[in-house]
Each structure stands twice: as C-alpha cells, then as structure tokens.
Amino acid sequence: MASFAEATSDCGAPSTSPTVSTVRPRIVRTYEEHMKYIKKLTPNSWSILPGFVPGMSVPGTFYVNSRLEQLMLSELRQSCDGTGVGGFIPAVTQIANVAALPGIVKSSIAMPDVHSGYGFSIGNVAAFDMNDKDAIVSPGGVGFDINCGVRLLRTNLFEGDIKDVKEQLAQSLFDHIPVGVGSKGVIPTSPGDLDSALELGMDWSLREGYAWAEDKEHVEEYGRMLQADPRKVSKRAKKRGLPQLGTLGAGNHYCEIQIVDEVHDQKAANRMGIGARGQVVVMIHSGSRGLGHQVATDSLVEMERAMARDGITVNDRQLACAKIHSTEGQNYLAAMSAAANFAWVNRSAMTFLARQTFAKMFDSTPDDLDMHVVYDVSHNIAKVEQHVVDDQLRTLLVHRKGATRAFPPHHPLIPVDYQFTGQPVLIGGTMGTCSYVLSGTQKGMDTTFGSTCHGAGRAQSRAKSRRQLSYTDVLDNLNRKGISIRVASPKLVMEEAPESYKDVTEVVNTCHDAGISKKVVKLRPVAVVKG
Amino acid sequence: MLSKSSAAGPTKPSNYEYLPHTADIQLHSWGPTLNSALSSLTISMFGYMTDLSYILPSSSQIISFKSDSPETGVFKILDEWLVHFHTKGFVVKEMEVEVKEEVGSPGWDVKCVAKGEEFDMERHTQGTEVKAITYSNLQIHRKEDRVDLYVIIDI
C-alpha cells in the first residue's frame, strides 16, 4: 500500500518557499497504522489521540454516527492510496493539525457535517486561550466566507395560501434578489456608506431603513461586532464588496421558501413563532461576499510574515495564523469583524427584498404578514467567549468554521425571547431536501464550546457530481417533489444536488443523540432561488 | 472528468481539467512551458465561472507584480485576475504570461497580458462563483518538457 506521505507528498510543494520554513514535515504511515490513533468513544463520537500528527497538545474529537463515520474513514483511506500527485488532506488529519496549534484548549472538535477544507476542516470548532500569550488566531479557522450564515423569517401564511402563486412567488424572489456570478446589488451604496456599514453592521441597515429595530434582537451579536474597524479592511476588499452588497452569491447559497413540516419541540417552536405545521417561512443562506473573501486572502499573506517572525510552527501551510495579541492578529480580528458586519447588512438587505416580494404578492405589508426574523446564525466566525474548562471560567477565542453557536437556555448572550428554550440554531439543508431548527443545550455548552453542526456537509466532490448526475434529472426530481426552482446557472445544479451531500437528517440526529443540540422543527422547501 | 470542450468552447485546445475535491475544485493545468501552464491555469479558473465560448477577446488588461516564491507567483496570478473580475467584471479568455525568474532567489517577476471582455449577464452564462484561491496543496511540477500546476480554489 502506498504510504500516507506519498499521497500528500511535498512534490514541488509549499515547503520550498523560503517564507514557510515553519511547516512541519508530514508523517509517513499506512491506513492501519493511522487507525491506531483513532478511537471510538461513544456511538456518536471518536477521539484522535495526540501523536497522530506532530505537535498535538490536545486530542481531536469528531461526532459521527455509524453511517457518517464511513465517509470520514474512507476519506482517510483514500488519502493513503493516492498517487502522490494532486489530492487533498483528509478531514481527520486536518482536525489533528488544528490540535497542534499554539494555545488550543481542550480539544479540536468536528461536527458530523465535517469534510475536508483547507487548513481547518469544514465543521471544525477550536478554542484558543485569550490569556495565553502564544495563543493564535487563524483565518483558516473562520474560512473565506466570513460570517456566512443562515437567517430564518417567519410568516403567518400557510401552505394553502401560497399553493396557487408559488411559481410567481419564486420568480418574484428571483427577480428581487440578485443572485449568481457577476450579479450586482440593488441597494445604492457609496464608498462612504460601505465604511459605515462595515463599522455599524445592522445598525446601519436600521438607520437606512432596510431593517426593523426588533430584527437586531434576534441576530447573534445583535448584528454588529464592536471590534470592527473599517480601516483594517483593504481597499481591494472594499472594491470587491461595494457592488456586491445585497447580493446572494452563488454556490451553496440560496433563498428558500419552506414549510414547517414536523414539530419536535412544541414549546420551543411556539416561542419562535413557528409552532404550526404547514406554516410558511423563508430561509436565507449567504455571507460576506467578495469583501470577506478578500479580507481572508489578505490576512493569509500578512500572517505568513508574522509566523516566520514569531517562529510559529504548523503542520499545513494553509493554517497560517498569528498570535492573538500581535498586530497581525488584532488587524485580522478587526477586519474579520467588519466583514461579519457586512454579512449581516447583506442578509438584512435580502430580508428587506424578501419582505417586499411577499408584501407585493399578497397585497399586504411585511408587518401584517408577521415577517419577523426568527433568528440569524453565523457559521464561519471567531468570537471571544467565556467557557468553563477544567472547572475554571476562561476567556477563549472560539473559531467556528462550518459550525454553529448553540448556547443553552439561560445563557446571558441569547435574546430574552429564547432564555427558556435555548438559542435557535438554523441548519440549512441541501437544495430540495429539508432544513432544521434546533436549540442549544447545556451539554453542548459543556462539551463543544456551545457549538453544533451547520448543514449537510458535502459527501461527494463537485467534479464527481458533474460527472454522475445530469442537470435535467436533478431539475426533474425537484419538480416531482413539487419544488419550484429558479437558478442562475442551471447547468451547475448537479453540484448542489442532494446526492452530493451527506444526509442532513443523519447529521442533525447525530447532534441530537449526542445531546449537543435538540431538534425543534423540521422544514421542507417548496421554492428555491439560487445562484 | 468534466468535458473540457463545454467549458472552453471550440476556441483553443485547453490543457486543463477539474479534479475532484470534496468542497472545492482543484484546477490542474499543464503545458510544455511554465508560461503555457500558467496561461491554461488562469483560463481554467474563468472556465468555471462562465462559458468562455461566449466571451470575446475584445479588450485587454495587464497585471504585473513580483513574488518572493514560485507558489506565491502562481497564487497571485489567479488572485489578481479574480480581483479584476470582482471589481471590473473582466473575464479572461486568452492570456500571455511572462515569468522572469530572479537569479539567486526563488522569486518571480511576472507580467500577464490578457484578452477578454467585461461580464454581461445578458450575453454570458453564469457558472460558479470563485471565492478565493488557496495555498492548500498547491503544487508546481517542473520537468524539462512539461510543467504541471495544481491549485485548489474555494467556490
């Protein structure tokens, strides 16, 4: 069997660059040898023992059930069978690489929707001690799409109310919300406006009349990160962001009209105003667009220099990081926060457009349609939070990359409306499958830094999806399920087809069974608008 | 493998392919020289964003920069053009690139001249949006008669 080192060998690799002498060499092992470091702890969780990769100061943990674990382990096996050219690093190795970063606390944790990313895997949660002077912040732990997240709007409409106008409603949403490659925002913004938006987040949306005062209450951080500093965002990032404010994007981003299909926790669902089966809701999944992507790219370059200077050693070049309290670390956090604000303004702009669409269609007002924000979660972000670790309250910088904050009942940072239910957690499914609303639990707070999954998570590569599925089949399938679809790039819908993803229900059930979040409501899509 | 003709159109033989990666796409390009491989790599990225057969080579844009390593050089060519796309809407259909390798240092001095046009939703098709270029497993394989490049892009 080919060795692991061959599969991910350094042929012509990043390590030849003079600036990255801080990357550790990889360990050569077979799959069987690797498995000696990976232990099943419970039916839903596994541990990766220190020693799996060099420099691990804490173990890795990943949550998968028996079906999802096969995907995880087959990825590791494949990486051992590789030819040494191309290829990518399996998620298990990535989780372990994060456990080797300076200042990490407790464990590098991955959610059931985990899959290989760059640097950090998607679905990875990692917390770093703010009081450890060597602890780091890593843009790779946040991802390129800073503050990518999901927002849910409720309505007082029922499935029967939209049955006859569903196609028009989908078309109207598609006409209102700019989607896809090269689309431009409809909200007029000058460079001065952009700076205000970056600094004020949803306070800007409120001031400009795009948001309701009560919207903020149901958004993480009240839609504004106070550390945001627009001056730390490069000109280039601003240039990318300016035309894109109020655009949905492409890829896995979407706006869906959904129906409350199953209610698992009636009390919590009632509290969220989505307790009636058949009720119509709107889900928006989007992020900080080109602005956030560029902030991440810019910071990687800056951090490489800092790593060389401060002698930080990592296992993978894409884990570029800087000490939290260094200039680079602080600059990144200020720019990341500004990008996060941009994302909230962006989702607020699309909320505005969705409200307008419904109001016109039903000849009513968004207010009379009860189109309140149920909640808005961020699943690519780093935040300063307090957690109890080893019976001590500690201030940590928690990175969540493709993972959602899920705080328990009575936590001071969740809105008063949800004090008794726990924080609502919004899980976007895949095109044409279902989505979920969950709630945070104390067990999650104790074991996963108050975090849970974020979506289905890819199971199959985009190239394979393109090869194996035909777009007409995918569209026909949606049609048969009675789902209206409006998509800017129909020929790419295969990539986002349910077959390309893990089963979101398996993912959500794993989290539910592990006790890190609780199922509240299952949602079923009836119309999809995407890029 | 994705049929290459569908992305690049009948205009030019394309020396690139899209390799499987769970979340993203790995671009693989090749050519007899470094310059030709870099050119194919750039075109492969735009081929994922729109059908290049509808793009006319009606205007041109230039980028030039210095990099301190070959990897940064490859990364920056893609990143610079991506920024051009996101700020000016410029789509690259053809590209000439000149790489001067500095004596005694791994650095590159790069100049690219690209032909293409501004993206127009009325005339052009929408593919997938490219968010960012990554250094993840970025590989440059140089042999005497062939150069292969691998870059994972975030989409």
Side-chain angles (χ1 to χ4, degrees), chain A residues 379-412:
Chain A
H379 53 225
N380 283 36
I381 203 151
K383 286 188 192 180
V384 179
E385 293 171 5
Q386 296 202 305
H387 291 271
V388 178
V389 181
D390 300 331
D391 298 325
Q392 273 189 323
L393 187 66
R394 290 162 81 174
T395 307
L396 307 174
L397 182 64
V398 183
H399 293 63
R400 293 189 184 90
K401 182 190 192 178
T404 316
R405 193 186 76 176
F407 279 173
H410 313 300
H411 193 284

Side-chain angles (χ1 to χ4, degrees), chain B residues 72-101:
Chain B
T72 311
V74 172
F75 176 93
K76 269 195 105 171
I77 289 174
L78 295 180
D79 190 48
E80 290 287 330
W81 286 124
L82 184 64
V83 169
H84 265 69
F85 174 74
H86 279 294
T87 55
K88 299 176 187 161
F90 185 73
V91 179
V92 176
K93 185 186 176 79
E94 298 163 8
M95 185 178 90
E96 299 282 338
V97 54
E98 194 186 336
V99 174
K100 283 189 200 141
E101 295 182 74

Side-chain angles (χ1 to χ4, degrees), chain A residues 11-12 16 85-87 115 118 144 180-181 236 240 244 289 293 318 458 461-462 466-467 488-489 492 495, chain B residues 1-2 20-24 48 71 80 86 126-129 131-132 135-137 139-141 150 154-155:
Chain A
C11 9
T16 53
V85 176
H115 60 80
Y118 24 85
F144 281 101
V181 172
R236 177 177 273 220
R240 277 182 73 172
Q244 293 183 336
R289 315 286 296 110
H293 311 157
Q318 200 71 19
R458 293 196 75 87
S461 76
R462 291 176 186 276
R466 280 190 172 199
R467 211 155 55 229
S489 54
L492 292 176
E495 293 190 3
Chain B
M1 216 52 61
L2 173 77
H21 184 279
T22 322
D24 304 308
Y48 217 79
E71 288 73 26
E80 290 287 330
H86 279 294
Q126 290 181 300
T128 289
E129 192 168 61
K131 289 180 185 168
Y135 278 111
S136 189
N137 231 8
Q139 297 174 21
I140 304 170
H141 300 272
Y150 294 86
D154 186 22
I155 56 178

Side-chain angles (χ1 to χ4, degrees), chain A residues 166-167 476-484 524-527:
Chain A
K166 208 176 58 166
E167 287 297 332
D476 285 351
N477 239 329
L478 292 172
N479 217 352
R480 263 197 302 280
K481 286 189 205 162
I483 301 170
S484 312
R524 160 174 62 81
V526 287

Side-chain angles (χ1 to χ4, degrees), chain A residues 116 248 297 310 335 416 422 468 501 523:
Chain A
S116 179
L248 184 79
T297 300
D310 296 342
V416 64
Q468 292 187 338
Y501 282 85
L523 303 164

